[in-house]
Amino acid sequence: MKNKRLFLSVFYILIGVVLFAVGSIGGADAFWSGIGGGLIGCGAVRLIQYIKYRTDKNYKEAVDIAANDERNKYISLKAWAWAGYLFVLISAVVTIVLRILKYKETADLIGAGMCLLIFLYAVTYLILRKKY
């Protein structure tokens, strides 16, 4: 972990505070205060992790091993693949169900998201096939 991560964590917290304040005082809707709260939480967790990484030698070693271990990388890639497959399947079923229930706009939006993921998969597959 580098000092850049410390800066980003503090930056997320600051942006979160601004968004939370703007949403809370009525300058924007509640969505933005929710996003701000999420950024504050994520920034705080990352800041704590960074401090622990810098101060706890055992934690640093465990994080470095987890980040560089081939088995963990394989499991992570498999998890992403399964998540992608499940997303496409669930999106297809939900799209069909919503069309049957006459929620055309929502079905179209979910179907478009599914198509975008499939398109991105196809493009990245072609790129990676040429690279490897």
Side-chain angles (χ1 to χ4, degrees):
M1 295 183 160
K2 299 177 182 174
N3 285 334
K4 182 171 120 178
R5 293 183 192 246
L6 172 67
F7 173 76
L8 281 174
S9 298
V10 172
F11 180 72
Y12 291 152
I13 292 170
L14 292 175
I15 293 295
V17 168
V18 169
L19 288 174
F20 188 80
V22 168
S24 296
I25 62 173
D29 59 21
F31 171 80
W32 294 107
S33 60
I35 294 292
L39 282 172
I40 292 168
C42 290
V45 168
R46 297 299 290 168
L47 186 61
I48 291 167
Q49 287 176 334
Y50 178 78
I51 292 168
K52 188 173 181 182
Y53 182 85
R54 298 285 296 207
T55 58
D56 186 348
K57 192 170 192 160
N58 292 332
Y59 179 75
K60 181 181 189 303
E61 184 178 325
V63 168
D64 289 344
I65 289 171
N68 297 315
D69 182 49
E70 290 296 323
R71 180 176 175 270
N72 282 340
K73 287 180 182 179
Y74 174 77
I75 291 170
S76 176
L77 290 174
K78 274 296 205 193
W80 271 111
W82 284 18
Y85 299 145
L86 291 173
F87 178 83
V88 169
L89 292 174
I90 292 168
S91 295
V93 170
V94 170
T95 299
I96 292 168
V97 169
L98 289 174
R99 285 292 247 176
I100 291 169
L101 296 174
K102 309 285 189 219
Y103 291 103
K104 182 185 180 322
E105 292 82 15
T106 307
D108 290 347
L109 185 61
I110 293 171
M114 176 185 60
C115 289
L116 175 62
L117 182 63
I118 293 169
F119 173 76
L120 291 173
Y121 169 78
V123 169
T124 55
Y125 178 81
L126 292 173
I127 292 169
L128 290 172
R129 191 178 72 184
K130 287 185 179 189
K131 184 175 180 179
Y132 298 107

